[in-house]
Amino acid sequence: MEMEMEMEMEMETESRKSCGAFMEKFTLQPSCSASDELPLNGLTFAVKDIFDVEGHITGFGNPDWAKTHSAATSTAPTVLSLLKAGATCVGKTVMDEMAYSINGENFHYGTPVNPISPDRVPGGSSSGSAVAVGAKLVDFSLGTDTGGSVRVPASYCGIYGIRPSHGVVSTAEVIPMAQSFDTVGWFARDPLILKQVGRVLLQSEPHSVGPTNIIIAEDCFKLQDSNSSQLIETMVNSVQKLYGSTHMIKYASLGDYIKENVPSLKKLMTIGTCSNEESSYIPYSLQDLSTAMRLLQKYEFKENHGEWVSNVKPSLGPGIAERIQDALKTTRDDNIDVCRSVKTELVAALTALLGDSGILAIPTVPGPPPKLRTETTALEGFRAKAFSLLSIAGVSGFCQVSIPLGIQDNLPMSVSLLAKHGSDWFLLNVVEAIHNVLKE
């Protein structure tokens, strides 16, 4: 009995040290002999429990999923690439159940501790991966981003997080959530490591072209609970220091632009529109864009996992259970083809807006991380604004990086930069340049 108590105390102490970020710890050594020439030599990383690792069960954030699936027989190519580049993997991290939340609270495995604001959620669904980086337990980590699952926890934990262009990083041997939006992203505490990982995972060629213009989406910044003027001012000052003037900065109403250039959105008007008072400030076109993303996401989730959920009837945490049951009711008649048309039109519209070397600046999220255990209904307005912002890159497939801007009142602040599909390396260069200015 005493031995059991000691073991439990040791496990509890270890969990506190690791901020509850890890599902399991193990070590995968680099697959090549250590060399200073390897881009990730000496760096450690963790992976979200959605990636296959040979010999380990991929748990997908749910114990019933883990019980009904066997250990993986091979390792995801993205993980293998990082090992080949000299990095060491130290374990798998906690995630939201079936990747279906942006909060980071797991009913079964606990909530990883936000390293900046312990009384706040860490953000999901890649919660453990973000916390592992923010708490300096690893140098970088892998997550996935479907509806915001890298960008949100990066913002909440005060670190860098990239959602790469859709389709440029392999999602093989990663459990799908909704393939039209699924991406493999990663976290780091500084943009240099973010770029080093990008050098390994991105298919685009490195180049150093500077931006021709930076478009600040004023209507998106108005969705901020606070600090919107401060975030814009920080962006403007950074550009002025970098390029000697602010002539390249332009201001736009992104909602109006999308309304004029994505005609299929009109077919989604009023569907799923949130009646919460907070949502009245969201441009209708961005609400409709969010609706398109969520409808298609629900449909594809059902196609991927509906049969398993119906057969197994897994235990699901609050919020997740309702969301998944709602997804199981989705049919192709629910404007799914319209949603796909919206995707095509938005890609064309934003490509025309940004050109080859344009940058779009928006808030990552509408405010600081919510407090732990906040009722789902109380977050309705916040979530509506969040998904209106997150759907811009989600639906277009453009690349986006969340940039930490420091701490105010013990809460993290962030902003996001987006670039056209395939311009990931260009975006990472701009992010690094802005980081260097912010440090000064």
Side-chain angles (χ1 to χ4, degrees):
M1 179 68 77
E2 286 183 11
M3 187 176 294
E4 285 182 9
M5 288 177 65
E6 285 179 12
M7 288 178 64
E8 286 178 9
M9 288 174 65
E10 285 178 13
M11 289 172 65
E12 190 176 332
T13 301
E14 179 60 31
S15 180
R16 280 201 300 271
K17 283 182 184 176
S18 62
C19 295
F22 287 90
M23 282 294 299
E24 59 172 325
K25 288 192 172 182
F26 50 78
T27 301
L28 300 179
Q29 297 289 352
S31 52
C32 295
S33 58
S35 165
D36 291 337
E37 295 177 8
L38 294 174
L40 303 180
N41 183 47
L43 299 182
T44 59
F45 72 103
V47 299
K48 181 177 182 176
D49 195 20
I50 198 171
F51 291 82
D52 283 353
V53 173
E54 184 179 357
H56 298 264
I57 294 173
T58 309
F60 206 22
N62 180 272
D64 288 318
W65 181 279
K67 289 173 188 172
T68 55
H69 289 79
S70 303
T73 56
S74 56
T75 299
T78 44
V79 177
L80 292 175
S81 295
L82 298 171
L83 296 172
K84 190 175 180 181
T88 300
C89 179
V90 298
K92 282 196 169 193
T93 55
V94 174
M95 60 176 284
D96 281 294
E97 291 182 75
M98 303 188 81
Y100 221 143
S101 177
I102 57 170
N103 263 17
E105 297 174 295
N106 190 299
F107 177 76
H108 308 282
Y109 301 123
T111 301
V113 180
N114 187 318
I116 292 178
S117 306
D119 64 331
R120 306 277 175 147
V121 298
S125 63
S126 307
S127 54
S129 290
V131 167
V133 170
K136 300 182 179 179
L137 305 174
V138 292
D139 296 303
F140 68 93
S141 61
L142 284 183
T144 57
D145 189 309
T146 301
S149 294
V150 165
R151 293 164 288 166
V152 173
S155 175
Y156 288 179
C157 293
I159 58 177
Y160 286 85
I162 179 171
R163 174 196 166 92
S165 299
H166 185 257
V168 303
V169 178
S170 172
T171 55
E173 296 177 72
V174 178
I175 300 174
M177 200 281 184
Q179 289 91 328
S180 291
F181 309 103
D182 290 345
T183 58
V184 167
W186 58 98
F187 303 93
R189 289 185 300 278
D190 69 75
L192 183 60
I193 291 179
L194 204 72
K195 281 181 67 175
Q196 287 175 294
V197 177
R199 187 172 285 113
V200 175
L201 297 182
L202 293 171
Q203 296 173 10
S204 56
E205 287 294 318
H207 59 86
S208 55
V209 177
T212 52
N213 56 76
I214 295 176
I215 298 172
I216 294 176
E218 290 183 288
D219 53 341
C220 291
F221 279 95
K222 287 178 182 175
L223 297 181
Q224 281 281 108
D225 291 339
S226 60
N227 299 323
S228 58
S229 58
Q230 185 179 350
L231 294 181
I232 291 175
E233 184 181 348
T234 301
M235 281 299 307
V236 171
N237 290 341
S238 299
V239 171
Q240 189 166 18
K241 286 181 182 178
L242 266 175
Y243 305 107
S245 73
T246 58
H247 71 277
M248 65 170 58
I249 290 183
K250 304 184 187 312
Y251 297 87
S253 172
L254 188 64
D256 288 344
Y257 179 82
I258 289 174
K259 180 180 178 181
E260 293 168 8
N261 293 278
V262 185
S264 290
L265 277 179
K266 293 173 184 173
K267 300 173 186 175
L268 295 176
M269 287 177 66
T270 73
I271 297 177
T273 301
C274 182
S275 59
N276 188 288
E277 185 181 344
E278 287 186 68
S279 303
S280 62
Y281 300 103
I282 307 173
Y284 284 122
S285 57
L286 294 184
Q287 289 193 54
D288 295 337
L289 200 62
S290 172
T291 296
M293 180 176 76
R294 287 183 291 112
L295 278 175
L296 186 50
Q297 182 178 340
K298 286 194 293 185
Y299 178 76
E300 292 185 349
F301 179 90
K302 177 187 175 183
E303 291 288 293
N304 290 323
H305 306 302
E307 186 178 345
W308 178 83
V309 172
S310 298
N311 291 338
V312 174
K313 296 179 176 54
S315 170
L316 298 165
I320 306 285
E322 293 82 356
R323 219 163 286 143
I324 287 177
Q325 287 306 313
D326 187 41
L328 297 192
K329 299 172 187 171
T330 312
T331 69
R332 191 170 185 93
D333 294 333
D334 292 333
N335 293 284
I336 299 306
D337 291 334
V338 174
C339 295
R340 291 184 170 136
S341 296
V342 167
K343 277 181 63 69
T344 302
E345 292 169 7
L346 185 66
V347 171
L350 292 185
T351 300
L353 177 68
L354 296 182
D356 289 334
S357 303
I359 293 285
L360 178 65
I362 64 172
T364 307
V365 287
K371 289 188 176 181
L372 290 165
R373 294 174 290 280
T374 301
E375 287 293 329
T376 303
T377 51
L379 292 174
E380 183 182 338
F382 185 89
R383 285 173 58 84
K385 290 192 286 187
F387 282 118
S388 293
L389 295 168
L390 296 165
S391 63
I392 298 165
V395 177
S396 67
F398 280 27
C399 48
Q400 177 176 344
V401 174
S402 181
I403 303 172
L405 294 181
I407 312 296
Q408 188 172 70
D409 299 324
N410 296 318
L411 295 170
M413 297 188 299
S414 69
V415 70
S416 269
L417 300 184
L418 289 79
K420 77 168 190 174
H421 189 279
S423 297
D424 305 67
W425 195 259
F426 158 71
L427 180 60
L428 286 170
N429 279 331
V430 174
V431 168
E432 183 184 27
I434 287 177
H435 167 82
N436 292 334
V437 168
L438 289 172
K439 275 202 307 185
E440 294 171 10

